[in-house]
Amino acid sequence: MNLDPNIPEGPLAEKWTNHKFNIKLVNPANKRKFHVIVVGTGLAGASAAASLAELGYNVTTFCFQDSPRRAHSIAAQGGINAAKNYQNDGDSVYRLFYDTIKGGDYRSREANVYRLSEVSVNIIDQCVAQGVPFAREYGGYLANRSFGGAQVSRTFYARGQTGQQLLLGAYSALSRQVKSGKVNSLPRREVLDVVLIDGHAKGVIVKNLLTGELERYAGDAVVLASGGYGNVYFLSTNAMNSNVSAAWRAHRKGAAFANPSYVQIHPTCIPVSGHYQSKLTLMSESLRNDGRVWVPKKQGDTRKASEIPEDERDYYLERKYPSFGNLVPRDVASRNAKYVVDEGRSVIPGREAVYLDFRDSINRLGKDAIEARYGNLFEIYERIMDDNPYEVPMKIFPAVHYTMGGLWVDYNLMTNIPGLYALGEANFSDHGANRLGASALMQGLADGYFVIPFTIGDYLASQPLHDHPQVDHPAFAESEESVKVELDQYLSNKSSSPKSADSIHQRLGKIMWNYCGMARNKEGLTKAKGMVRELRQEFYRDITVPGSDDEFNPELQKAWRLADFLELGELMIDDALQREESCGGHFREEYQTDNGEALRDDENFAFVGAWEYKGKDQQAQLHKKELNFEFVELKTRSYV
Amino acid sequence: MNLTLKIWRQKGPDSKGKMESYEMKEVSTDMSFLEMLDMLNEQLIQGGKEPVAFDHDCREGICGSCGMVINGQPHGPKRMTTTCQLHMRSFSEGDTIYIEPWRAKAFPIIKDLMVDRTAFDQIIESGGYISANTGNAQDANEIPIGKDIANESMSAAECIGCGACVASCKNASAMLFTAAKVSHLGLLPQGQPERMARAQAMVKTMDDAGFGNCTNTGACEVNCPKGISISYIARMNADFVKSSVFSETTVK
Amino acid sequence: MPSSKTFLSSSIGQKLIMGLTGLFLVSFLVVHLSGNLLLFKDDGGLSFNEYTKFMTTNPVVKIMEWVLFAGFIFHIVYAIRLSWQNNRARPQKYAFKKGMGNSSSWFSRNMGVTGTIFLAFLIVHLVMFWGFYKYGQGIEGIPIETVYSQSWKVKDAHGPFIDTQLNQEVMIEKNSYLDEKKFELLKSNGVEKVKALSMTEVVNNSFQRPEIVIFYAIAMLLLAFHLSHGFQSAFQTLGLVHKKYTPIVLTVGKIFAVAVPLLFAIIPIFFYVRSVL
Ligand SMILES: Cc1cc2nc3c(=O)[nH]c(=O)nc-3n(C[C@H](O)[C@H](O)[C@H](O)COP(=O)(O)OP(=O)(O)OC[C@H]3O[C@@H](n4cnc5c(N)ncnc54)[C@H](O)[C@@H]3O)c2cc1C
Ligand code: HEM
Ligand code: HEM
Ligand code: SF4
Ligand code: F3S
Ligand code: FES
């Protein structure tokens, strides 16, 4: 497997500039002879497709929603980072770079992260030019807020809907190209396979979700921007239909999947309320600025919050981390919530939740001040939980939020399959073992607006100008056939105990949550691996899909997505097992300090774990790609 | 809670549909409306019947996928709430709930409660953007934008493109959706160069798509899950007239 | 210039015509009402007669009349066009119909209905008064003459209305309001008198009939409905929305929608009640 990261030579700050100069270019007249397939219209996909089309390439985009504008990126709330230093508080490209490397617990590539920080400033310029209505100060200049993991204020935001506004910006740029005829936007399509011709990615097999037809699309390069895989847990803050299939099919075709076990769990989500629950809702992290997290000291205390006296409350974050208190990083906050609930101190009997209490801040600052800060969040909470957080403490619990792992890519964002690129949350590149708040949007747009438009040229310049891949190539027929066989199998499956995709998915989610979630250990992981394998057998035996193949059939959709999640689940467990250290979102209980902090092992685990697919039900193979830290010094995180 | 559901079932775009009745038992008040439908679907699948098709994705009220007319009101009885954010506690024991798709000529039905909202994409494609190629941009702080203007623009930009405005309008008019985008961009300095052309082009595309004409009934504003104000419609009216009658711009 | 064809057939262009004609009609209402209020002037109907004379004979007003009718016609034609298009925009209606009431007012949804019924009123009204005056073909059985003395003082008259004015002396200028065709000189008992068409009398007589009064009252109610949405709606259509001034428009609109039809309605009721008393 060729996993050369292709990091350009030279000093950190000059790598990207040098690289842009050194890579091959496609001359403007020739660009229109090439056709690029972009899978996904989230921040990464939409920005890439628009920018490529502006350059002159012909682009076809796919998304499974009914419009590109509905991609999961739309849901991001908090903001987007950029090293603008508009606040004059000492921010710089280098500081953002450093914070990101450190936040990622030293498990990401320096060169990639530096480039990300470097282009972050251009992202804001570009978005403002497009008309993204970022928050402003009275003087008319851009406002910033601060976010976890940083000591500077560098987060740009548009109310609580930053992702929406950025995505609508990218979507409008995309729409403009659709109008100009450079982009063919095909919604309600799901990519089910990547077609390789002579080892190069040259097309996709797509299911038209409305008619059920399988369609073939050929291109000179394929860009996957299909998002993250958090939904392997069934319940997550991801959109219901987010899935790993496009990436996973590429993985099956030979693309390495890197660091699958790095999952970010967000500490402040609305807790699961029942079996029928379909998804979890995130409450902005900013709530922790004024809310105090606590549980009763006593186990199984069923009194109402207001009836529990002060000295019987355990403000466990303030107790354990006196200097950071309720503002410890996401993973620390999440893990501690799990611990207290595991001790039987959950605030909802039989379920998992802790209190986030605003009583003291309301007393101190007044209800109006709190309402001004969090009014809309309180409203969301009340709508879902039917509880008034001004009067009773919020109940929250961590939930799966973001996946740092993904398709392995080199500096050019190309996977190890030539011509196949991965952008945004779908790749593994920039966040190491943990992502800083407000950095995913930044990365998606950096990849799409500022990286891929240059780097794809390097590949396309070496491709034939006149001999373009055609859909009648046997590789397409072969791919299509294998997809068809698989779908038929689900549709025709008859079982004595029929099961719906959701019911199996729910069980997969539970296994992953319990054993490969906030805290993992060898024993649990080993057990979980067996359980996932068994569940996979059960899936193939009992899955039942109503309806047919020639109509809109969401149950069929769920089945093929679940098949991929069931394979991915095992790979995540493999990766968590092999990584015998704790870092970022990956916490192995065996590897912690005396006071319960993550214990990294830089000696043995400062590498990217890139996995090679070896066939259905075969053990995947790990490739370790060493991470070299030339510019930063590895330090232990400490928040005590 | 026990409920009777009357749901529009329609196999495909060209089939004839009809309302069908379903009895639901033990619906929890904590469920969201879509979770209640998930439950119905699980039962239908179990019974070998076809589940009810509906669009949904984020279930957080932001993607704009979901949407159905519940007892005659798009997104149901609760203000500023999408269908996915509506909870069953808004209903009571024994209720009969009518669930219908968005109805508009410009939104043909695909299946059951799913409609085709491509017309919205076309409206945006015809001018809902600022032509700024990647790389064109100057420094973001070079154009100060007053807080009020930025806010006003943001309030329009919040539109999630769900189509409830069309569904609730007695004329199936898409004015609120279109006006939101025209105003979002038209309020900003960056949006000025194309302001005249944009208003003409987007209104034309909207008209051609077969939406009705606004008669200022204001139902859209009430049912819009983002509370987009119809004052943006007035703003677009003014822009359109300015553009068509007084400016020298003509969009074909 | 835009191709006026596309502009006028665009949704907003059509609405613009509705709004402009609507506001124009509103302004007519003001003029007409202030004229009609002269009926209450205690001068034996003189001012009102003068006013109607002016309204039906003055050349500028005559032109304005045609503009007014054009306004009505455009308003109505476009109302029909819009309603037709709007109906087609939703070929399949909702099964559950009651929901609409939660989000918009009945008035706003039924401008076509209130407008059409009002149109019926308008036709009757025109035939009754304006057509009558103009072309002399009134509704039968309504006496239309009032007799003034040539000394330009009201000396003699018949009919309950004029009677009450007997003690008053009102100066009128010869020929200032009397249409050649519509008055004649009478001589009786050696006193010269003018017998002239009096719209005051026409109005007075019309409103002796309860069914007409009721019809007018209902029509005015519908006008109130129509205006209660229409007034502010026109401003919205014209894009005249402003954070500071729109609240004023809304208030004025509400007052207007109540006050104007009410004042109109008081006229027939007043005449009727007086005749009964
Ligand atoms: C609730 C929430 C809040 C967040 N808040 C923030 C924040 O404040 N700041 C921040 O930086 N990050 C935030 N994130 C993370 C961030 O939103 C995501 O990581 C990011 O938007 C991912 O963008 P993307 O373009 O990679 O993928 P997505 O936006 O997930 O887009 C995936 C696209 O791929 C398409 N697709 C997928 N599979 C297929 C297929 N098989 N065939 C065809 N199309 C396919 C989909 O249709 C979609 O268009 C948040 C995430 C969540 C869940
Ligand atoms: C004669 C029969 C009439 C009919 C059939 C009629 C019909 C309508 C209809 C359907 C509308 C709604 C369309 C819209 O809002 O765009 C409307 C609006 C309006 N009408 Fe009428 N109308 C009539 C008479 C009048 C009269 C006599 C007046 C005033 C004196 C009037 C004033 C208005 C106003 C102000 C509007 C609002 C315009 C706007 O919304 O832009 N109408 N009319
Ligand atoms: C209820 C009280 C009303 C009375 C007593 C009344 C009386 C009259 C009279 C006497 C005339 C003929 C002479 C004239 O022009 O003044 C007339 C004409 C007319 N009326 Fe009325 N009217 C009333 C209400 C209305 C209303 C509500 C409308 C609605 C728009 C209206 C519209 C017209 C029109 C269009 C004409 C003919 C044009 C003109 O001459 O100005 N009237 N009315
Ligand atoms: S304006 Fe409101 S109702 Fe209409 S599409 Fe936008 S968000 Fe939905
Ligand atoms: S409901 Fe319809 S009539 Fe106009 S104000 Fe809204 S578009
Ligand atoms: S599912 Fe996204 S808005 Fe309802």
Side-chain angles (χ1 to χ4, degrees):
Chain A
M1 208 168 230
N2 172 20
L3 296 175
D4 180 355
N6 290 316
I7 311 273
E9 293 302 315
L12 192 56
E14 286 161 33
K15 282 182 195 290
W16 179 229
T17 314
N18 290 346
H19 189 62
K20 281 196 283 188
F21 181 72
N22 290 328
I23 56 177
K24 281 174 258 169
L25 297 178
V26 179
N27 99 36
N30 286 340
K31 287 203 177 81
R32 65 189 142 81
K33 297 186 180 133
F34 288 109
H35 185 167
V36 181
I37 288 174
V38 177
V39 182
T41 58
L43 284 180
S47 58
S51 305
L52 290 170
E54 283 162 10
L55 286 172
Y57 295 112
N58 302 302
V59 179
T60 303
T61 62
F62 300 97
C63 67
F64 52 70
Q65 292 91 347
D66 70 331
S67 160
R69 67 181 289 153
R70 306 201 199 285
H72 163 64
S73 296
I74 200 103
Q77 306 169 345
I80 177 169
N81 288 330
K84 278 288 196 188
N85 192 29
Y86 281 159
Q87 306 307 323
N88 198 25
D89 57 359
D91 199 8
S92 63
V93 168
Y94 192 84
R95 186 177 291 278
L96 175 55
F97 154 76
Y98 181 80
D99 286 348
T100 308
I101 291 277
K102 176 180 171 221
D105 230 356
Y106 306 95
R107 290 294 174 265
S108 43
R109 265 192 217 136
E110 283 182 329
N112 284 58
V113 176
Y114 194 88
R115 174 180 62 194
L116 174 65
S117 312
E118 205 177 330
V119 301
S120 70
V121 295
N122 306 346
I123 295 174
I124 302 304
D125 298 343
Q126 180 60 30
C127 294
V128 167
Q130 281 170 351
V132 171
F134 283 121
R136 303 258 165 181
E137 305 291 357
Y138 282 104
Y141 296 105
L142 289 156
N144 288 120
R145 57 164 63 136
S146 48
F147 238 70
Q151 283 160 316
V152 293
S153 223
R154 62 159 78 97
T155 306
F156 295 80
Y157 62 100
R159 290 202 189 140
Q161 289 111 292
T162 316
Q164 179 199 27
Q165 293 312 313
L166 294 173
L167 182 61
L168 292 182
Y171 161 73
S172 67
L174 179 70
S175 297
R176 175 171 156 243
Q177 295 305 318
V178 171
K179 179 76 177 176
S180 79
K182 288 310 267 183
V183 171
N184 183 16
S185 161
L186 299 174
R188 292 206 195 265
R189 302 285 203 297
E190 192 142 320
V191 170
L192 286 188
D193 205 6
V194 176
V195 179
L196 307 191
I197 297 178
D198 303 327
H200 287 235
K202 291 296 173 198
V204 286
I205 300 296
V206 174
K207 191 166 176 67
N208 181 324
L209 295 176
L210 293 185
T211 63
E213 261 165 279
L214 290 177
E215 302 167 346
R216 305 171 181 186
Y217 295 91
D220 297 287
V222 176
V223 176
L224 293 184
S226 49
Y229 52 85
N231 273 351
V232 68
Y233 291 87
F234 188 70
L235 288 179
S236 81
T237 62
N238 287 10
M240 291 288 287
N241 293 300
S242 296
N243 68 87
V244 75
S245 289
W248 194 256
R249 301 294 160 131
H251 174 55
R252 295 220 301 217
K253 283 279 169 89
F257 207 103
N259 301 339
S261 68
Y262 291 161
V263 175
Q264 184 170 78
I265 296 187
H266 196 285
T268 50
C269 300
I270 295 181
V272 179
S273 66
H275 166 75
Y276 43 79
Q277 185 110 12
S278 58
K279 89 150 259 166
L280 298 173
T281 303
L282 180 114
M283 299 297 292
S284 166
E285 225 171 343
S286 61
L287 289 171
R288 286 198 282 145
N289 284 314
D290 288 301
R292 298 178 72 193
V293 178
W294 65 276
V295 289
K297 285 189 177 155
K298 241 184 18 207
Q299 283 183 4
D301 194 336
T302 53
R303 286 176 294 176
K304 278 198 263 168
S306 55
E307 289 162 5
I308 302 178
E310 203 53 32
D311 60 351
E312 289 180 43
R313 300 176 174 199
D314 180 10
Y315 295 92
Y316 56 89
L317 289 178
E318 296 170 22
R319 171 169 58 81
K320 286 168 85 171
Y321 309 95
S323 56
F324 273 74
N326 295 298
L327 288 173
V328 291
R330 289 180 177 179
D331 55 329
V332 180
S334 298
R335 209 155 46 239
N336 280 286
K338 174 183 160 62
Y339 290 150
V340 294
V341 165
D342 286 351
E343 287 162 23
R345 297 196 282 153
S346 169
V347 300
I348 310 180
R351 304 208 195 114
E352 302 175 313
V354 300
Y355 285 133
L356 180 63
D357 198 339
F358 291 86
R359 186 194 61 186
D360 296 345
S361 336
I362 292 175
N363 288 342
R364 186 163 36 96
L365 305 164
K367 191 181 160 196
D368 291 347
I370 295 298
E371 186 170 351
R373 281 181 206 174
Y374 311 110
N376 68 334
L377 292 168
F378 279 30
E379 235 174 78
I380 297 177
Y381 180 86
E382 186 164 359
R383 192 176 304 148
I384 298 176
M385 295 293 282
D386 199 24
D387 244 358
N388 180 353
Y390 294 103
E391 278 151 26
V392 286
M394 277 189 179
K395 302 183 187 90
I396 54 155
F397 203 65
V400 172
H401 177 53
Y402 182 86
T403 51
M404 279 74 70
L407 289 174
W408 181 92
V409 289
D410 66 5
Y411 189 73
N412 288 330
L413 302 183
M414 188 156 86
T415 66
N416 54 312
I417 295 176
L420 181 68
Y421 291 79
L423 271 52
E425 197 174 336
N427 74 25
F428 88 109
S429 72
D430 298 348
H431 307 294
N434 178 44
R435 171 179 71 81
L436 291 183
S439 282
L441 302 182
M442 169 174 73
Q443 180 228 333
L445 290 180
D447 291 358
Y449 283 134
F450 295 108
V451 179
I452 192 79
F454 299 108
T455 59
I456 205 166
D458 196 42
Y459 170 76
L460 290 176
S462 67
Q463 295 303 298
L465 255 186
H466 299 293
D467 181 18
H468 298 280
Q470 302 298 326
V471 290
D472 50 15
H473 190 282
F476 278 91
E478 199 182 303
S479 248
E480 188 180 313
E481 187 52 30
S482 71
V483 169
K484 212 174 149 28
V485 167
E486 184 190 331
L487 298 181
D488 286 346
Q489 184 191 344
Y490 302 138
L491 277 165
S492 59
N493 197 41
K494 293 270 173 307
S495 156
S496 51
S497 62
K499 298 201 174 81
S500 72
D502 277 352
S503 68
I504 297 177
H505 197 167
Q506 253 165 355
R507 286 161 61 202
L508 172 67
K510 281 233 170 65
I511 299 173
M512 298 303 293
W513 181 240
N514 290 336
Y515 301 106
C516 196
M518 284 181 272
R520 303 137 180 207
N521 59 55
K522 184 166 185 172
E523 193 194 353
L525 287 165
T526 317
K527 185 166 146 203
K529 184 169 161 93
M531 289 167 82
V532 171
R533 287 201 154 195
E534 258 169 50
L535 192 61
R536 205 158 59 219
Q537 302 313 321
E538 193 178 322
F539 167 79
Y540 284 108
R541 196 179 59 231
D542 293 340
I543 181 70
T544 315
V545 178
S548 64
D549 197 17
D550 56 2
E551 58 172 353
F552 176 74
N553 189 340
E555 288 302 310
L556 182 58
Q557 237 166 295
K558 287 183 192 167
W560 79 64
R561 290 171 182 171
L562 178 57
D564 296 336
F565 278 136
L566 281 160
E567 290 191 351
L568 166 72
E570 185 179 339
L571 190 72
M572 291 168 69
I573 293 169
D574 281 338
D575 192 49
L577 265 174
Q578 89 40 49
R579 191 162 283 280
E580 298 183 323
E581 65 160 350
S582 295
C583 61
H586 167 70
F587 188 81
R588 280 282 297 265
E589 288 172 330
E590 301 96 315
Y591 309 99
Q592 52 179 311
T593 61
D594 294 340
N595 54 8
E597 289 305 323
L599 198 59
R600 244 179 27 231
D601 179 354
D602 294 330
E603 191 89 343
N604 297 305
F605 288 94
F607 65 76
V608 171
W611 293 87
E612 183 178 350
Y613 189 78
K614 286 290 185 189
K616 207 170 153 183
D617 293 327
Q618 302 299 307
Q619 179 57 46
Q621 186 189 339
L622 175 68
H623 299 267
K624 299 182 182 177
K625 293 305 297 178
E626 232 45 60
L627 287 166
N628 302 316
F629 290 90
E630 288 178 59
F631 304 94
V632 293
E633 186 195 340
L634 276 61
K635 287 196 191 131
T636 318
R637 288 195 313 169
S638 170
Y639 294 97
V640 179
Chain B
M1 190 160 70
N2 298 319
L3 300 168
T4 306
L5 305 179
K6 304 235 184 238
I7 304 180
W8 181 261
R9 301 304 307 263
Q10 179 172 337
K11 187 113 185 78
D14 305 319
S15 350
K16 247 183 93 71
K18 63 169 189 303
M19 299 296 287
E20 279 187 33
S21 236
Y22 302 91
E23 297 299 325
M24 293 290 289
K25 295 212 171 8
E26 286 166 40
V27 173
S28 152
T29 49
D30 285 338
M31 278 182 178
S32 73
F33 199 84
L34 296 187
E35 282 163 356
M36 187 273 295
L37 288 181
D38 288 343
M39 183 173 152
L40 168 69
N41 279 347
E42 194 74 30
Q43 286 170 18
L44 289 175
I45 294 168
Q46 225 97 99
K49 297 207 191 72
E50 271 229 42
V52 180
F54 57 89
D55 272 314
H56 68 104
D57 198 17
C58 73
R59 297 213 176 181
E60 289 195 9
I62 191 74
C63 73
S65 297
C66 68
M68 41 197 86
V69 176
I70 301 167
N71 284 347
Q73 267 188 288
H75 292 307
K78 217 164 149 43
R79 297 256 167 123
M80 301 281 284
T81 304
T82 54
T83 305
C84 58
Q85 292 278 80
L86 179 69
H87 280 72
M88 294 313 292
R89 60 182 83 93
S90 296
F91 300 90
S92 8
E93 172 64 33
D95 276 2
T96 299
I97 307 176
Y98 283 76
I99 310 173
E100 300 173 72
W102 288 171
R103 292 214 183 274
K105 190 171 121 212
F107 286 166
I109 293 181
I110 292 170
K111 185 175 180 180
D112 298 340
L113 303 172
M114 282 167 67
V115 298
D116 181 351
R117 287 172 290 202
T118 310
F120 270 10
D121 287 318
Q122 287 164 349
I123 292 174
I124 301 293
E125 281 157 22
S126 67
Y129 46 74
I130 289 171
S131 302
N133 280 358
T134 307
N136 281 176
Q138 56 188 333
D139 185 86
N141 256 351
E142 300 244 316
I143 335 163
I145 302 173
K147 203 179 166 104
D148 290 348
I149 298 286
N151 263 336
E152 183 87 0
S153 172
M154 178 65 198
S155 294
E158 276 182 308
C159 163
I160 60 175
C162 62
C165 43
V166 175
S168 61
C169 176
K170 86 179 235 297
N171 312 320
S173 161
M175 285 286 271
L176 193 62
F177 168 81
T178 310
K181 187 49 72 185
V182 166
S183 305
H184 155 214
L185 299 175
L187 276 158
L188 295 173
Q190 304 93 298
Q192 298 313 309
E194 291 163 291
R195 181 165 163 194
M196 292 297 119
R198 181 182 305 119
Q200 271 183 55
M202 289 179 72
V203 169
K204 184 172 185 322
T205 313
M206 174 185 81
D207 287 350
D208 291 348
F211 293 105
N213 312 287
C214 172
T215 55
N216 304 332
T217 65
C220 50
E221 172 183 275
V222 174
N223 287 299
C224 170
K226 296 291 142 185
I228 309 279
S229 157
I230 55 170
S231 63
Y232 294 114
I233 294 184
R235 186 177 281 284
M236 176 163 80
N237 289 339
D239 268 13
F240 181 77
V241 173
K242 226 181 274 169
S243 162
S244 308
V245 181
F246 302 111
S247 85
E248 297 187 354
T249 309
T250 302
V251 173
K252 296 262 154 32
Chain C
M1 192 57 195
S3 88
S4 60
K5 199 168 143 253
T6 50
F7 175 68
L8 292 183
S9 59
S10 70
S11 57
I12 299 179
Q14 295 183 69
K15 279 288 300 177
L16 186 76
I17 292 178
M18 282 305 290
L20 286 175
T21 52
L23 280 186
F24 174 62
L25 298 178
V26 162
S27 70
F28 163 74
L29 283 185
V30 177
V31 174
H32 193 48
L33 178 64
S34 36
N36 288 355
L37 288 179
L38 293 174
L39 281 166
F40 291 125
K41 204 163 171 197
D42 212 3
D43 61 357
L46 216 54
S47 313
F48 186 71
N49 282 349
E50 214 165 58
Y51 158 74
T52 46
K53 166 72 198 320
F54 176 79
M55 290 303 280
T56 34
T57 52
N58 182 293
V60 178
V61 175
K62 272 191 168 154
I63 295 170
M64 279 314 289
E65 215 161 59
W66 290 110
V67 177
L68 176 66
F69 287 140
F72 269 111
I73 288 174
F74 272 100
H75 190 75
I76 294 161
V77 166
Y78 274 84
I80 294 169
R81 255 180 86 144
L82 285 170
S83 304
W84 183 73
Q85 288 170 355
N86 287 343
N87 193 42
R88 285 203 333 161
R90 175 167 296 132
Q92 165 110 33
K93 311 288 180 228
Y94 290 112
F96 190 96
K97 299 214 158 45
K98 283 175 284 180
M100 289 274 179
N102 297 336
S103 23
S104 58
S105 68
W106 185 92
F107 312 131
S108 69
R109 275 176 282 127
N110 292 283
M111 291 297 278
V113 174
T114 52
T116 307
I117 303 180
F118 187 72
L119 177 63
F121 156 82
L122 205 63
I123 293 169
V124 172
H125 177 65
L126 287 181
V127 171
M128 241 168 108
F129 294 147
W130 176 81
F132 187 90
Y133 194 121
K134 210 134 204 187
Y135 303 106
Q137 302 143 342
I139 297 166
E140 241 178 282
I142 301 178
I144 55 158
E145 297 101 2
T146 296
V147 179
Y148 300 100
S149 77
Q150 206 193 18
S151 65
W152 317 125
K153 294 195 173 151
V154 179
K155 281 276 162 70
D156 188 15
H158 24 250
F161 181 48
I162 300 299
D163 268 353
T164 61
Q165 310 293 319
L166 265 182
N167 298 333
Q168 248 196 328
E169 302 217 333
V170 180
M171 297 297 298
I172 47 173
E173 251 176 73
K174 191 177 178 187
N175 281 347
S176 68
Y177 70 100
L178 298 176
D179 195 321
E180 290 294 329
K181 282 180 275 168
K182 288 180 178 149
F183 76 95
E184 49 187 294
L185 285 171
L186 295 178
K187 246 192 189 131
S188 70
N189 303 338
V191 184
E192 270 189 89
K193 291 179 181 172
V194 179
K195 185 180 163 215
L197 175 83
S198 161
M199 277 317 282
T200 312
E201 270 307 272
V202 177
V203 169
N204 183 23
N205 285 316
S206 312
F207 296 151
Q208 313 280 311
R209 292 166 46 188
E211 65 276 15
I212 296 217
V213 175
I214 291 169
F215 178 64
Y216 266 66
I218 292 174
M220 290 309 106
L221 189 66
L222 284 158
L223 178 64
F225 290 172
H226 198 76
L227 288 174
S228 76
H229 174 67
F231 191 94
Q232 54 83 27
S233 171
F235 285 83
Q236 166 86 1
T237 300
L238 303 183
L240 301 173
V241 166
H242 191 281
K243 280 215 173 71
K244 287 182 193 146
Y245 306 121
T246 296
I248 302 176
V249 170
L250 290 178
T251 316
V252 171
K254 279 200 193 95
I255 296 172
F256 190 93
V258 176
V260 170
L262 190 69
L263 287 170
F264 270 123
I266 285 176
I267 299 172
I269 294 171
F270 172 82
F271 280 89
Y272 179 71
V273 170
R274 207 183 52 178
S275 75
V276 186
L277 285 180

